[in-house]
């Protein structure tokens, strides 16, 4: 993909992209540590060479209905499941009523799939369609490796789920909250304990 001056992303012309995959990548593949990819060209780039030093991966312009299959053992990403330690996921459209469930599915599976994941930016464009909401259901996601998390949530209560111990190595949290409202009757003693630890701690969680 190609970046323009205004920050937008567009595809390279096919002759240029073909030369990039067939000639350039095989020569420099061992030096590549980060790849920023879009869905349409991802497979071609990943198949062009081996990337023994790749540790960072950014996936941009993803369509919600087409992204659910990415985090299974049937895709090319699976071969990097023990290699990637930094991951950026940017979804640009929604699927209406099913959006929340799809986002939960994606977030849960990528946390389980990448076994050495330490940095996760889940929604760098701060799009509402990529908000992670725990709602009334218990989201079964646990990570003992993620130490820095960037995420969008609909309300403040969703932050409490992220800080309840399921991310036991988390030391830095960047969170965009759409609506900050905390109904006191819904916060139990554990939530108060979490909040007190956050604001009394010498280490800042942003």
């Amino acid at each position: 993909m190609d970046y323009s001056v205004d920050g937008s992303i567009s595809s390279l012309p096919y002759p240029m992209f073909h030369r990039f995959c067939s000639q350039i990548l095989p020569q420099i593949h061992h030096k590549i540590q980060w790849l920023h990819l879009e869905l349409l060209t991802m497979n071609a780039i990943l198949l062009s060479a081996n990337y023994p030093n790749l540790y960072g991966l950014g996936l941009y312009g993803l369509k919600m209905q087409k992204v659910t299959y990415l985090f299974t053992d049937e895709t090319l990403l699976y071969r990097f499941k023990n290699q990637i330690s930094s991951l950026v996921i940017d979804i640009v459209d929604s699927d209406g009523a099913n959006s929340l469930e799809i986002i939960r599915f994606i977030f849960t599976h990528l946390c389980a799939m990448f076994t050495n994941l330490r940095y996760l930016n889940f929604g760098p464009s701060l799009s509402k369609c990529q908000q992670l909401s725990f709602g009334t259901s218990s989201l079964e996601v646990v990570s003992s490796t993620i130490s820095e998390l960037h995420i969008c949530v609909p309300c403040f209560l969703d932050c409490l789920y992220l800080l309840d111990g399921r991310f036991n190595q988390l030391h830095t949290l960047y969170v965009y909250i759409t609506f900050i409202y905390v109904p006191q009757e819904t916060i139990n003693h554990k939530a108060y304990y979490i909040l007190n630890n956050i604001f009394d701690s010498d280490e800042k969680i942003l």
Side-chain angles (χ1 to χ4, degrees):
M1 59 186 175
D2 184 30
Y3 290 88
S4 64
V5 176
D6 63 1
S8 61
I9 300 173
S10 59
S11 298
L12 292 172
Y14 178 75
M16 187 181 299
F17 178 72
H18 178 71
R19 180 173 178 269
F20 177 72
C21 291
S22 62
Q23 299 180 31
I24 298 177
L25 283 178
Q27 294 181 22
I28 64 172
H29 67 101
H30 59 287
K31 297 181 179 180
I32 295 176
Q33 297 180 333
W34 259 96
L35 282 174
H36 296 279
L37 305 173
E38 59 180 348
L39 190 59
L40 291 177
T41 56
M42 181 187 73
N43 285 349
I45 291 175
L46 293 180
L47 286 171
S48 296
N50 293 319
Y51 302 95
N53 295 312
L54 183 70
Y55 71 85
L57 189 63
L59 303 178
Y60 298 90
L62 302 177
K63 305 294 184 181
M64 190 171 292
Q65 281 293 350
K66 295 182 179 180
V67 76
T68 53
Y69 80 94
L70 287 179
F71 307 107
T72 68
D73 57 6
E74 299 178 357
T75 67
L76 288 174
L77 292 180
Y78 188 77
R79 54 191 275 211
F80 300 102
K81 70 184 187 72
N82 298 321
Q83 190 172 332
I84 297 298
S85 61
S86 297
L87 182 65
V88 179
I89 302 293
D90 190 38
I91 300 172
V92 296
D93 71 344
S94 66
D95 187 43
N98 296 323
S99 295
L100 290 178
E101 292 301 323
I102 294 175
I103 290 299
R104 291 176 184 175
F105 173 87
I106 295 170
F107 186 80
T108 301
H109 280 71
L110 68 86
C111 286
M113 177 177 172
F114 294 100
T115 58
N116 291 312
L117 191 61
R118 291 175 174 79
Y119 170 91
L120 174 59
N121 190 336
F122 192 73
S125 62
L126 303 180
S127 172
K128 286 186 177 181
C129 72
Q130 200 170 340
Q131 290 180 342
L132 179 67
S133 176
F134 290 84
T136 57
S137 63
S138 177
L139 191 62
E140 296 182 0
V141 53
V142 176
S143 174
S144 60
T145 61
I146 294 177
S147 58
E148 181 172 337
L149 177 63
H150 299 239
I151 200 165
C152 306
V153 297
C155 66
F156 189 77
L157 288 177
D158 290 305
C159 294
L160 302 181
Y161 290 96
L162 295 171
L163 299 170
D164 66 358
R166 67 186 71 205
F167 295 93
N168 57 17
Q169 296 300 313
L170 187 66
H171 62 67
T172 304
L173 174 63
Y174 292 86
V175 58
Y176 179 83
I177 306 172
T178 302
F179 183 62
I180 300 181
Y181 170 67
V182 186
Q184 184 170 338
E185 64 274 11
T186 65
I187 301 181
N188 57 26
H189 294 296
K190 184 176 182 180
Y192 279 122
Y193 174 77
I194 293 172
L195 290 174
N196 287 333
N197 282 345
I198 293 173
F199 294 114
D200 290 341
S201 175
D202 291 332
E203 296 184 3
K204 291 184 178 179
I205 298 180
L206 303 177

